[in-house]
Amino acid sequence: MSARLPAPCPPRWWLLLSLLLLGAAPGPRRGAAFYLPGLAPVNFCEEEKKSDECKAEIELFVNRLDSVESVLPYEYTAFDFCQASEGKRPSENLGQVLFGERIEPSPYKFTFKKEETCKLVCTKTYHTEKAEDKQKLEFLKKSMLLNYQHHWIVDNMPVTWCYDVEDGQRFCNPGFPIGCYITDKGHAKDACVISSEFHERDTFYIFNHVDIKIYYHVVETGSMGARLVAAKLEPKSFKHTHIDKPDCSGPPMDISNKASGEIKVAYTYSVSFEEEKNIRWASRWDYILESMPHTHIQWFSIMNSLVIVLFLSGMVAMIMLRTLHKDIARYNQMDSTEDAQEEFGWKLVHGDIFRPPRKGMLLSVFLGSGTQILIMTFVTLFFACLGFLSPANRGALMTCAVVLWVLLGTPAGYVAARFYKSFGGEKWKTNVLLTSFLCPGIVFADFFIMNLILWGEGSSAAIPFGTLVAILALWFCISVPLTFIGAYFGFKKNAIEHPVRTNQIPRQIPEQSFYTKPLPGIIMGGILPFGCIFIQLFFILNSIWSHQMYYMFGFLFLVFIILVITCSEATILLCYFHLCAEDYHWQWRSFLTSGFTAVYFLIYAIHYFFSKLQITGTASTILYFGYTMIMVLIFFLFTGTIGFFACFWFVTKIYSVVKVD
């Protein structure tokens, strides 16, 4: 699996696939190249050469500001920075809105190949006696204390701050801090370590100047101009002596906690251009992704998972091919002999194996919702592997997942109805209503409470009221009717035919040993699937809470397949042991055995919060655990459904090949 983003110039088979998947025809460009929809390159040239195919103005957009010490992101306009006088705000897709991305035009405007040195953008003045100015300054100080980061965008590329880290490696961060703080004991926090000039105690230093360098690659096909392949900056701090004519020299811009009177902060920038012949437009994200030294750990994760799968596969194969084969041969041989012998083992419970479980309504509803999530996850990851949902296509991953979930109401209703009918249920109206509203309702209620907290904190991650209405409309007007349609066809079909008949009187289950009791088996069953995914979980949680880019969808898709296999095999293995112990209550146990992986996920998320994150504040803590509970519920339904279907197939298979009276 490649660790790089797929090149946006697909071969012919990829073009056909993109036409089928997206229903859009990417337009041909000069040079007979094709590009994925929404990812076609923009050409730039000097002012005097600009045309319809080549533009001279380079727009810089600003995104939300976030911090690893707080779950609350804020819009750029929430801070007292230089604002754009005019400019069109880019339209945001559903995924960007749900993730709290708020892309705004900025006052930083460049012309291709026109270099600027210490150009003034604006000056902000604060009077500490004025309540409004003091409030703005305090918000700025608090943000620097929590290490909030700017996120700037040029030509759909993040503007990166590259610096050396441990082991001589260079890390390119797609963000840079507002400023930093020197404690009253003289300890330099966060970015203050980059310069010895930051030394005043109990003082904030604001990065009010940026040196921006834009790298471009000249298009070989002639007069098409150039394409931007990288944008890097270096944040600096200057207390400009002549604010009207800044020269970007002098001491850093400090704001002491004890400062009073008038404080002036001048924001400036310098921009330069450099030709880069070795980087093509199609691979311009690589320098950011390659600076994240985690690829070898990903391979370790895959190898670890594969070893577990091979071990489990060997165990299951041994049971299937040897033990089960001997069991079936022995049972069938006994039936053919005239001597009546007493039955034993898993054949003994053939008259009870398909007895409807308790709480069959709830189980069928969980299976319907789990099927919906399972198909959604598979299709989303498949699209991500093809490059449609790469980091360059902002918000596409979440948009795809939400749209797929809405459209997959039909299989959810169908599966829930089929199994509920097979369990002997007759309250079909209750079943379809619960399938439509129970699990989605729990997720939405949790999400709405988290949104109220975000609204109260004034965060950009708060979903606007109009978007909430739109989500409810998608749920009630599309997902619910599709669920009803699926349930209609599910109830219309005959109940699932079982290979053996169910006795009228339930068989008494003998006293079970410790390891065949329900709880120990369920707890053991979740360990192996979790062992396959816990390293991958670290990177996923990093991308969500530490604002790192996640791009290894090839690895993730492979781990997804391994997880499905491991959940299935672990559940089948334990199911066989329980049947041999004459315990025929396999339905809920199979669901909970693999579903218990979600409990280990929750424990790991708690460990990650206390050991890896620096989140402070009650609101941020509540938000972390609120969103984690949504992920845990989704993961529980997803893994539990895999376990049930695997066990259902196994039980149906073994009882269909053994002769019973």
Side-chain angles (χ1 to χ4, degrees):
M1 289 287 168
S2 174
R4 298 184 175 185
L5 283 172
C9 303
R12 296 291 176 182
W13 67 267
W14 196 325
L15 171 64
L16 293 171
L17 193 57
S18 70
L19 292 171
L20 289 170
L21 293 176
L22 294 182
R29 300 261 173 174
R30 196 174 290 179
F34 290 93
Y35 300 97
L36 290 180
L39 293 179
V42 179
N43 299 317
F44 294 91
C45 53
E46 292 92 331
E47 182 77 37
E48 59 273 10
K49 296 180 183 176
K50 70 177 183 179
S51 62
D52 293 338
E53 290 189 353
C54 171
K55 55 192 279 192
E57 300 80 22
I58 300 174
E59 288 184 277
L60 189 146
F61 291 95
V62 289
N63 204 341
R64 63 176 185 175
L65 286 87
D66 54 35
S67 165
V68 293
E69 297 180 34
S70 174
V71 177
L72 304 165
Y74 290 100
E75 290 188 48
Y76 181 84
T77 51
F79 297 85
D80 192 36
F81 298 134
C82 303
Q83 306 293 335
S85 55
E86 57 182 19
K88 187 179 178 183
R89 180 173 178 166
S91 58
E92 292 152 352
N93 58 40
L94 180 62
Q96 286 176 290
V97 175
L98 292 176
F99 271 127
E101 289 199 23
R102 299 290 185 271
I103 299 175
E104 307 267 0
S106 82
Y108 298 85
K109 306 289 182 187
F110 316 130
T111 303
F112 184 67
K113 281 194 176 180
K114 184 182 178 183
E115 301 197 350
E116 301 279 3
T117 304
C118 204
K119 185 171 180 180
L120 180 67
V121 184
C122 75
T123 304
K124 295 290 180 179
T125 306
Y126 304 96
H127 296 276
T128 53
E129 293 81 14
K130 291 183 179 179
E132 187 182 352
D133 285 3
K134 189 176 180 181
Q135 188 179 358
K136 289 178 182 177
L137 202 57
E138 287 302 317
F139 186 56
L140 206 58
K141 285 179 182 179
K142 184 185 175 184
S143 303
M144 285 189 274
L145 197 61
L146 291 172
N147 195 27
Y148 269 82
Q149 307 255 327
H150 286 279
H151 294 281
W152 291 2
I153 301 163
V154 166
D155 189 32
N156 202 36
M157 273 282 294
V159 182
T160 57
W161 176 32
C162 297
Y163 50 87
D164 295 321
V165 290
E166 296 174 359
D167 304 326
Q169 293 180 328
R170 194 162 179 80
F171 177 66
C172 289
N173 183 7
F176 68 96
I178 296 172
C180 60
Y181 176 61
I182 302 289
T183 65
D184 50 5
K185 293 182 180 178
H187 175 65
K189 276 193 90 228
D190 304 316
C192 274
V193 299
I194 66 174
S195 175
S196 59
E197 291 186 334
F198 304 145
H199 56 77
E200 292 291 333
R201 297 189 174 196
D202 197 21
T203 300
F204 293 91
Y205 290 92
I206 188 165
F207 293 124
N208 58 334
H209 174 85
V210 285
D211 284 334
I212 302 170
K213 181 172 275 192
I214 295 174
Y215 298 84
Y216 63 91
H217 175 86
V218 177
V219 182
E220 294 90 341
T221 52
S223 59
M224 286 181 69
R227 292 169 184 169
L228 307 188
V229 293
K232 299 178 183 179
L233 63 72
E234 191 176 347
K236 292 181 178 178
S237 180
F238 294 114
K239 185 182 280 185
H240 300 290
T241 48
H242 304 287
I243 288 179
D244 296 333
K245 292 183 179 179
D247 57 357
C248 293
S249 63
M253 181 67 222
D254 59 327
I255 304 172
S256 174
N257 259 338
K258 301 178 181 68
S260 59
E262 186 180 79
I263 299 171
K264 285 191 174 184
V265 181
Y267 291 91
T268 56
Y269 74 90
S270 299
V271 63
S272 60
F273 293 85
E274 185 178 314
E275 185 177 356
E276 177 56 75
K277 295 181 180 179
N278 297 323
I279 301 175
R280 298 299 181 108
W281 184 88
S283 56
R284 62 184 188 156
W285 285 72
D286 287 7
Y287 83 96
I288 305 172
L289 308 180
E290 286 172 354
S291 75
M292 300 176 185
H294 299 316
T295 314
H296 64 287
I297 300 175
Q298 297 273 359
W299 279 115
F300 170 75
S301 167
I302 298 294
M303 294 306 296
N304 170 57
S305 304
L306 284 173
V307 167
I308 293 173
V309 167
L310 288 172
F311 170 74
L312 264 181
S313 299
M315 290 283 287
V316 173
M318 188 174 69
I319 287 170
M320 292 281 200
L321 299 176
R322 297 190 61 185
T323 315
L324 265 176
H325 183 72
K326 286 180 181 178
D327 286 350
I328 292 165
R330 187 165 64 249
Y331 291 152
N332 291 342
Q333 189 179 10
M334 283 167 51
D335 287 340
S336 62
T337 59
E338 294 181 2
D339 298 330
Q341 297 183 35
E342 189 180 349
E343 293 179 343
F344 61 91
W346 54 266
K347 187 184 177 185
L348 202 58
V349 295
H350 67 81
D352 299 274
I353 193 68
F354 292 106
R355 189 174 299 285
R358 296 173 186 170
K359 308 288 184 187
M361 171 82 80
L362 185 61
L363 180 59
S364 65
V365 168
F366 281 176
L367 289 172
S369 296
T371 304
Q372 195 174 8
I373 294 164
L374 180 63
I375 301 170
M376 177 199 78
T377 308
F378 176 81
V379 177
T380 302
L381 288 178
F382 182 72
F383 279 7
C385 282
L386 296 178
F388 291 105
L389 312 178
S390 72
N393 210 347
R394 299 171 195 280
L397 188 74
M398 180 60 87
T399 305
C400 178
V402 171
V403 170
L404 280 171
W405 179 84
V406 168
L407 297 177
L408 288 168
T410 304
Y414 180 81
V415 168
R418 282 282 277 158
F419 277 99
Y420 181 62
K421 189 173 182 179
S422 297
F423 295 156
E426 295 176 353
K427 298 177 181 176
W428 65 270
K429 292 178 184 176
T430 309
N431 179 260
V432 71
L433 285 170
L434 284 174
T435 307
S436 302
F437 295 108
L438 179 63
C439 296
I442 293 169
V443 171
F444 185 81
D446 188 328
F447 187 75
F448 184 72
I449 293 166
M450 297 304 106
N451 208 48
L452 288 177
I453 296 171
L454 291 167
W455 268 337
E457 295 289 334
S459 172
S460 71
I463 309 300
F465 181 73
T467 308
L468 273 178
V469 172
I471 292 170
L472 284 172
L474 287 172
W475 179 15
F476 284 96
C477 301
I478 300 176
S479 181
V480 171
L482 288 174
T483 308
F484 273 76
I485 291 169
Y488 169 77
F489 285 107
F491 279 112
K492 197 175 180 183
K493 291 201 74 170
N494 294 328
I496 299 169
E497 288 187 17
H498 301 308
V500 288
R501 288 177 300 181
T502 303
N503 295 336
Q504 290 185 344
I505 302 169
R507 180 184 178 82
Q508 187 174 357
I509 298 170
E511 183 69 27
Q512 298 291 302
S513 58
F514 174 77
Y515 67 92
T516 57
K517 285 181 179 177
L519 193 59
I522 289 167
I523 292 170
M524 286 189 296
I527 293 173
L528 286 172
F530 179 75
C532 292
I533 61 164
F534 81 97
I535 295 176
Q536 200 67 226
L537 270 181
F538 171 76
F539 296 107
I540 293 170
L541 292 176
N542 263 358
S543 69
I544 296 171
W545 303 113
S546 296
H547 313 296
Q548 293 185 13
M549 283 185 188
Y550 191 90
Y551 58 94
M552 293 186 174
F553 293 109
F555 280 110
L556 190 59
F557 188 69
L558 191 56
V559 169
F560 167 79
I561 299 298
I562 289 171
L563 176 65
V564 171
I565 295 169
T566 313
C567 281
S568 304
E569 293 182 339
T571 310
I572 287 171
L573 202 61
L574 289 166
C575 183
Y576 175 76
F577 291 149
H578 291 126
L579 292 179
C580 287
E582 300 175 23
D583 185 350
Y584 51 83
H585 293 311
W586 62 270
Q587 291 98 333
W588 269 112
R589 184 177 291 169
S590 62
F591 189 92
L592 295 172
T593 297
S594 53
F596 203 80
T597 311
V599 177
Y600 291 110
F601 175 20
L602 176 61
I603 294 167
Y604 182 78
I606 294 168
H607 163 74
Y608 179 84
F609 177 82
F610 288 107
S611 66
K612 303 293 182 186
L613 296 180
Q614 302 142 0
I615 288 175
T616 55
T618 307
S620 291
T621 305
I622 293 170
L623 286 165
Y624 176 85
F625 286 104
Y627 287 128
T628 298
M629 291 312 296
I630 293 175
M631 291 189 281
V632 167
L633 174 62
I634 290 170
F635 198 67
F636 170 72
L637 295 170
F638 162 69
T639 50
T641 302
I642 295 168
F644 178 87
F645 282 139
C647 205
F648 179 74
W649 170 83
F650 173 72
V651 168
T652 306
K653 196 74 177 172
I654 64 171
Y655 283 97
S656 64
V657 293
V658 68
K659 294 177 184 176
V660 292
D661 296 330

